[in-house]
Amino acid sequence: MRCTLAGENSREAIRFAARAGFDCIETDVRWTSDSVLVAVHDATLARTFTYNDGRPVPNGIAVSDVTYAELHDKFRLKATRPEYRTQVLSLEEFCIECRDCGLYTFIEPKKVTPKWVYQRLIDIADRIFGRGNYVITSNNDANDHIRLEMGIRNIPLMGILYQSTYEHISSLGNIIMAISTSRFEEESYFANVARTKADGFETESHADNFDDFDLINQADIDYISTDLLAPDYTGQGKTVYRSKGRNSEKIAAESAAVGKIEFGAVYLDIEWCGSATITLSNQTFTLPMTEAPRHARHQLLIFDDAPVFEIISSSEDFRIKHISLRIVQF
């Protein structure tokens, strides 16, 4: 949530994810100068940490430059409000919190990772989740090291297709194939998805915007990773608004009246002909031109913001066949 309501990879962020209804969560792994594995994405502290008193951390201080005690005691994870600025989690603490929240956990060793990190990471994850009940993700160098050098075959791995060949990733076995919506043209994207499914592997794609999410929904992807999308609505949270009818101006006015939401989501389900440009929450996107009725959906997290829905332009032949807008407070 862009270090607003919670620090990145914080205990609070894990609990927010579970509360929203996400099934999975991912963290990256770094290590301190005294070799403690921590749930931190960047090699340096400046983007995601402040000092205890709120002062910014200067560029150039690496996670690996400080001891775990220093990182834990002198710094806080960056968040908008002081009460949300909490201490870094060790990888072990992060995994325990994920387990207790019922979140399937993906763990990413970064590309330049000392070899000793892998065994320690696996030992921690095995102890907390049990072998085979978590995924090591996204780093094809890590995948090769785990499968080909360490000889471990019963830990699921996620491989990124554009970083390697299909043949190499699939040869590792027990894999999730990450197929990028931005690195492949549409025809190649669907062909790669079909090939992966035919070979019996699960699929993953990343989406933060309407176009990518629409493509993923058409492809029926198993795992969707995101920074901005809301999880599918399955009854979680409190519905504070649900539209009736097809009058888009009425829906826009009613949804605006909901006001600011600390943490929630907006869900749009629409069937249309023609084309229109829509603003939903903080995103603006265009529905593809179509003569026959076409269906799509979009769903975005809201944090410390008011939900917005508006059709800001449309083609002359634009018609709404069906529309549903739901605003949920988690």
Side-chain angles (χ1 to χ4, degrees), residues 55 57 115 130 144 164 195 198 213 258 266 284 286 310 319:
R55 287 180 296 123
V57 179
K115 290 188 175 181
D144 286 352
S164 186
R195 185 180 185 186
F213 187 52
V258 169
V266 57
T284 297
T286 299
E310 185 181 9
R319 299 291 182 274

Side-chain angles (χ1 to χ4, degrees), residues 21-220:
F22 284 101
D23 297 312
C24 309
I25 198 163
E26 186 258 8
T27 188
D28 304 85
V29 178
R30 297 288 178 180
W31 49 94
T32 61
S33 64
D34 53 345
S35 302
V36 176
L37 301 188
V38 288
V40 177
H41 178 279
D42 296 5
T44 57
L45 302 181
R47 184 181 66 85
T48 56
F49 286 86
T50 67
Y51 288 107
N52 284 345
D53 59 7
R55 287 180 296 123
V57 179
N59 292 324
I61 299 180
V63 180
S64 58
D65 288 340
V66 298
T67 66
Y68 177 69
E70 289 172 325
L71 186 61
H72 189 269
D73 297 339
K74 294 182 179 180
F75 300 91
R76 290 291 182 271
L77 290 164
K78 190 180 292 183
T80 303
R81 301 179 193 175
E83 63 266 30
Y84 290 144
R85 297 170 193 161
T86 55
Q87 293 163 314
V88 68
L89 294 181
S90 68
L91 178 63
E92 183 164 4
E93 290 171 326
F94 185 95
C95 290
I96 290 170
E97 190 68 37
C98 292
R99 181 199 63 194
D100 292 349
C101 287
L103 292 165
Y104 190 41
T105 304
F106 288 60
I107 304 170
E108 180 180 349
K110 305 309 292 183
K111 193 170 181 64
V112 181
T113 294
K115 290 188 175 181
W116 65 265
V117 169
Y118 293 105
Q119 188 61 60
R120 190 169 301 178
L121 180 163
I122 289 168
D123 288 344
I124 291 169
D126 281 353
R127 184 168 64 253
I128 295 164
F129 301 116
R131 175 63 62 90
N133 296 319
Y134 58 93
V135 179
I136 294 180
T137 179
S138 294
N139 180 340
N140 288 328
D141 291 345
N143 294 347
D144 286 352
H145 179 70
I146 290 165
R147 283 286 190 270
L148 305 180
E149 296 181 39
M150 299 178 73
I152 297 173
R153 305 201 63 83
N154 56 356
I155 295 174
L157 305 175
M158 188 167 81
I160 300 178
L161 184 53
Y162 73 85
Q163 292 183 354
S164 186
T165 65
Y166 180 92
E167 290 76 14
H168 181 72
I169 296 173
S170 61
S171 72
L172 299 176
N174 196 12
I175 57 99
I176 299 167
M177 189 73 72
I179 307 167
S180 172
T181 55
S182 61
R183 299 280 180 160
F184 297 101
E185 296 296 327
E186 188 171 312
E187 184 177 349
S188 296
Y189 177 78
F190 285 121
N192 283 318
V193 171
R195 185 180 185 186
T196 303
K197 288 179 177 289
D199 287 343
F201 299 120
E202 291 184 309
T203 53
E204 186 271 356
S205 293
H206 181 84
D208 280 333
N209 58 48
F210 172 82
D211 292 336
D212 289 346
F213 187 52
D214 187 45
L215 196 66
I216 283 170
N217 281 325
Q218 293 177 61
D220 191 26

